[in-house]
Amino acid sequence: MKAVVLNRISPVEEKPLELMDLPRPVPGRGQILVKVSVCGICHTELDEIEGRVSLSRLPIVLGHEVVGRVESLGQGAGKFKRGDRVGIAWINWACGRCSFCLKGEENLCDSARWTGKDADGGYAQYTVVSEDFAYPIPERFTDVKAAPLLCAGVIGYRALRLSGMEDGKVLGLYGFGASAHIVIQIAKYKYPNSKVFVFTRPGQKEHQDLASKLGADWIGATGDASPQKLNCAIDFTPVGEPVREALKNLEKGGRVVINAIRKATRVPELDYTEHLWHEKEVKSVANVTRRDAQEFLPLAAEIPIVPETQEFKLEEANEALVLLKEGKIRGAGVLRIAE
Ligand SMILES: [Zn+2]
Ligand SMILES: [Zn+2]
């Protein structure tokens, strides 16, 4: 099968992903073989390629926003049948027995495996996954539109839930890429009496236009004072500075949730009085659970979420990821794998 493989850690500008011919994987017990149609690209891939997230092996096939059809079933698998459309997300497997798993926090499981990090992902024509970690895709979505829901959407949904957001509160979104442009649509639907303020890099006009199209109540640059204090803020950016900026704009008792697996730069020093006093909170979002995906996908169809997508061929994965790093993708980037 055709696959784009990461063989070495390097800056993405050096185009380290290589198109290769690999043997088609064989589904093990309880697994399904999925013929991949499309795979979304995610910031986490940049962290993996550039060494900020350590991979359990090299070479590896990246990609954890996988949409495809069940091609065959491993022994004992029976939840899906051949031809069913399924999605695969970042969580690839969890033990189901540890204290975290038993509390429904399988996102924190020490033995969990992650798609495209510990197991080959979706930058390939075929992939295998445990049937318990695959999800039916609501009919409303095409393959391309479904892909960004599987990480950008699911983790955005989790971040919004962890932010403590309620109707009437003011929400701030720092960074407006794949995840934030889905979160604003969830927020506008679930919290109709709330305001959503969007902060982007200065001059990031494409992102600002998209935010305005999706109903942002105010749009500014990271570092600007918001017109009203924020009760909840979600930081989607890959750098440290916006964490402090969000804390500056936060209302007393507010919470900043950081939706990023790694930061490319440090969170700057915080001043206790200015940034944290008055019960302000900072919380990170780590990974996702199956429950997040199972709750979010039907909600996405009900709203319905309209993801903005930019398509690339599998062979263009390096170029697409460079554009992602430069903040030049409007909405979410998706690799088309099957013709
Ligand atoms: Zn992701
Ligand atoms: Zn566990």
Side-chain angles (χ1 to χ4, degrees), residues 4 35 38 40 55 110 121 123 127 140 154-155 198 212 239 243 248 281 331 333 336:
V4 155
K35 183 171 199 286
V38 297
L55 297 158
D110 281 328
Y123 286 19
T127 191
R140 173 183 281 276
V154 174
I155 196 151
V198 170
S212 139
V239 289
V243 175
K248 266 191 214 167
E281 289 176 78
R336 188 171 267 294

CSV table of all heavy atoms in Angstrom, one decimal, residues 4 35 38 40 55 110 121 123 127 140 154-155 198 212 239 243 248 281 331 333 336:
chain,number,residue,atom,x,y,z
A,4,VAL,N,2.7,7.5,3.5
A,4,VAL,CA,3.7,8.6,3.8
A,4,VAL,C,4.2,8.3,5.1
A,4,VAL,O,3.5,8.2,6.1
A,4,VAL,CB,3.0,10.0,3.6
A,4,VAL,CG1,3.7,11.0,4.4
A,4,VAL,CG2,2.9,10.4,2.2
A,35,LYS,N,-9.9,0.8,5.0
A,35,LYS,CA,-9.4,1.4,3.8
A,35,LYS,C,-9.6,2.9,3.9
A,35,LYS,O,-10.8,3.4,4.0
A,35,LYS,CB,-10.2,0.9,2.6
A,35,LYS,CG,-9.7,1.4,1.3
A,35,LYS,CD,-10.4,0.6,0.1
A,35,LYS,CE,-9.6,0.7,-1.2
A,35,LYS,NZ,-9.7,2.0,-1.8
A,38,VAL,N,-9.8,9.6,3.7
A,38,VAL,CA,-9.1,10.9,3.9
A,38,VAL,C,-8.5,10.8,5.3
A,38,VAL,O,-8.9,10.1,6.2
A,38,VAL,CB,-10.1,12.1,3.8
A,38,VAL,CG1,-10.7,12.2,2.5
A,38,VAL,CG2,-11.2,11.9,4.9
A,40,GLY,N,-7.2,13.9,8.2
A,40,GLY,CA,-6.9,15.3,8.5
A,40,GLY,C,-5.5,15.5,9.0
A,40,GLY,O,-4.8,14.5,9.5
A,55,LEU,N,7.9,9.7,19.8
A,55,LEU,CA,7.2,8.6,19.1
A,55,LEU,C,7.7,7.3,19.7
A,55,LEU,O,8.9,7.2,20.1
A,55,LEU,CB,7.5,8.7,17.6
A,55,LEU,CG,7.0,10.0,17.0
A,55,LEU,CD1,7.8,10.2,15.7
A,55,LEU,CD2,5.5,9.8,16.7
A,110,ASP,N,-1.9,5.4,31.7
A,110,ASP,CA,-0.5,5.3,31.5
A,110,ASP,C,-0.1,4.4,30.3
A,110,ASP,O,0.9,4.5,29.7
A,110,ASP,CB,0.2,4.8,32.7
A,110,ASP,CG,0.4,5.9,33.7
A,110,ASP,OD1,0.6,7.1,33.3
A,110,ASP,OD2,0.3,5.7,35.0
A,121,GLY,N,-0.9,5.4,11.7
A,121,GLY,CA,-2.2,6.1,11.6
A,121,GLY,C,-2.7,6.1,10.1
A,121,GLY,O,-2.5,5.2,9.4
A,123,TYR,N,-2.1,8.3,7.4
A,123,TYR,CA,-1.4,8.8,6.2
A,123,TYR,C,-1.0,7.7,5.3
A,123,TYR,O,0.1,7.5,4.9
A,123,TYR,CB,-0.1,9.6,6.5
A,123,TYR,CG,-0.2,11.0,7.2
A,123,TYR,CD1,-1.4,11.4,7.8
A,123,TYR,CD2,0.9,11.9,7.1
A,123,TYR,CE1,-1.5,12.7,8.4
A,123,TYR,CE2,0.8,13.1,7.7
A,123,TYR,CZ,-0.4,13.5,8.3
A,123,TYR,OH,-0.4,14.8,8.9
A,127,THR,N,-5.2,1.1,7.3
A,127,THR,CA,-4.7,1.1,8.7
A,127,THR,C,-5.6,0.1,9.5
A,127,THR,O,-6.7,-0.2,9.1
A,127,THR,CB,-4.8,2.5,9.3
A,127,THR,OG1,-4.1,2.5,10.6
A,127,THR,CG2,-6.2,3.0,9.6
A,140,ARG,N,-24.6,12.8,7.5
A,140,ARG,CA,-24.6,14.2,7.0
A,140,ARG,C,-23.3,14.7,6.5
A,140,ARG,O,-23.2,15.5,5.6
A,140,ARG,CB,-25.0,15.1,8.2
A,140,ARG,CG,-24.9,16.5,8.0
A,140,ARG,CD,-25.3,17.3,9.2
A,140,ARG,NE,-26.7,17.3,9.4
A,140,ARG,CZ,-27.5,18.2,8.9
A,140,ARG,NH1,-27.1,19.1,8.1
A,140,ARG,NH2,-28.8,18.2,9.2
A,154,VAL,N,-13.2,16.9,18.2
A,154,VAL,CA,-13.4,16.1,19.5
A,154,VAL,C,-12.7,16.8,20.6
A,154,VAL,O,-13.2,17.0,21.7
A,154,VAL,CB,-13.0,14.7,19.3
A,154,VAL,CG1,-13.0,13.9,20.7
A,154,VAL,CG2,-13.9,13.9,18.3
A,155,ILE,N,-11.4,17.2,20.4
A,155,ILE,CA,-10.7,17.8,21.5
A,155,ILE,C,-11.2,19.2,21.8
A,155,ILE,O,-11.2,19.7,22.9
A,155,ILE,CB,-9.1,17.8,21.2
A,155,ILE,CG1,-8.4,18.0,22.5
A,155,ILE,CG2,-8.7,18.8,20.2
A,155,ILE,CD1,-7.1,17.4,22.7
A,198,VAL,N,-12.6,36.4,19.6
A,198,VAL,CA,-11.5,35.7,19.0
A,198,VAL,C,-10.2,36.5,18.9
A,198,VAL,O,-10.3,37.7,18.5
A,198,VAL,CB,-12.0,35.2,17.6
A,198,VAL,CG1,-10.8,34.6,16.8
A,198,VAL,CG2,-13.1,34.2,17.7
A,212,SER,N,-15.2,35.9,11.6
A,212,SER,CA,-16.3,36.9,11.5
A,212,SER,C,-17.5,36.2,10.8
A,212,SER,O,-18.6,36.3,11.2
A,212,SER,CB,-15.8,38.1,10.8
A,212,SER,OG,-16.7,38.6,9.8
A,239,VAL,N,2.2,28.4,21.0
A,239,VAL,CA,3.2,29.1,21.7
A,239,VAL,C,2.7,29.5,23.1
A,239,VAL,O,1.6,29.3,23.5
A,239,VAL,CB,3.6,30.4,20.9
A,239,VAL,CG1,4.4,30.0,19.7
A,239,VAL,CG2,2.4,31.2,20.6
A,243,VAL,N,-1.1,32.3,26.8
A,243,VAL,CA,-1.6,31.8,28.1
A,243,VAL,C,-1.6,33.0,29.1
A,243,VAL,O,-2.7,33.3,29.7
A,243,VAL,CB,-0.7,30.7,28.7
A,243,VAL,CG1,-1.2,30.3,30.1
A,243,VAL,CG2,-0.7,29.5,27.8
A,248,LYS,N,-4.7,37.7,31.6
A,248,LYS,CA,-4.8,39.1,31.8
A,248,LYS,C,-6.3,39.5,31.5
A,248,LYS,O,-6.8,40.4,32.2
A,248,LYS,CB,-3.9,39.9,30.8
A,248,LYS,CG,-2.6,40.3,31.3
A,248,LYS,CD,-2.0,41.2,30.3
A,248,LYS,CE,-0.5,41.0,30.2
A,248,LYS,NZ,0.1,41.7,29.0
A,281,GLU,N,-8.0,30.2,37.1
A,281,GLU,CA,-7.5,28.9,37.0
A,281,GLU,C,-6.9,28.7,35.6
A,281,GLU,O,-7.3,29.3,34.6
A,281,GLU,CB,-8.6,27.8,37.1
A,281,GLU,CG,-9.2,27.6,38.4
A,281,GLU,CD,-10.3,26.7,38.3
A,281,GLU,OE1,-10.1,25.4,38.3
A,281,GLU,OE2,-11.5,27.1,38.3
A,331,GLY,N,-9.2,27.1,8.2
A,331,GLY,CA,-9.9,26.0,8.7
A,331,GLY,C,-9.0,24.8,8.9
A,331,GLY,O,-8.0,24.9,9.6
A,333,GLY,N,-6.8,21.3,7.4
A,333,GLY,CA,-6.2,20.7,6.2
A,333,GLY,C,-6.6,19.2,6.2
A,333,GLY,O,-6.6,18.5,7.3
A,336,ARG,N,-6.3,13.8,1.0
A,336,ARG,CA,-7.2,12.9,0.3
A,336,ARG,C,-6.3,11.7,-0.1
A,336,ARG,O,-5.3,11.8,-0.8
A,336,ARG,CB,-7.8,13.5,-0.9
A,336,ARG,CG,-8.8,12.7,-1.6
A,336,ARG,CD,-9.5,13.6,-2.6
A,336,ARG,NE,-10.8,14.2,-2.1
A,336,ARG,CZ,-11.8,13.6,-1.7
A,336,ARG,NH1,-11.9,12.3,-1.8
A,336,ARG,NH2,-12.9,14.2,-1.3
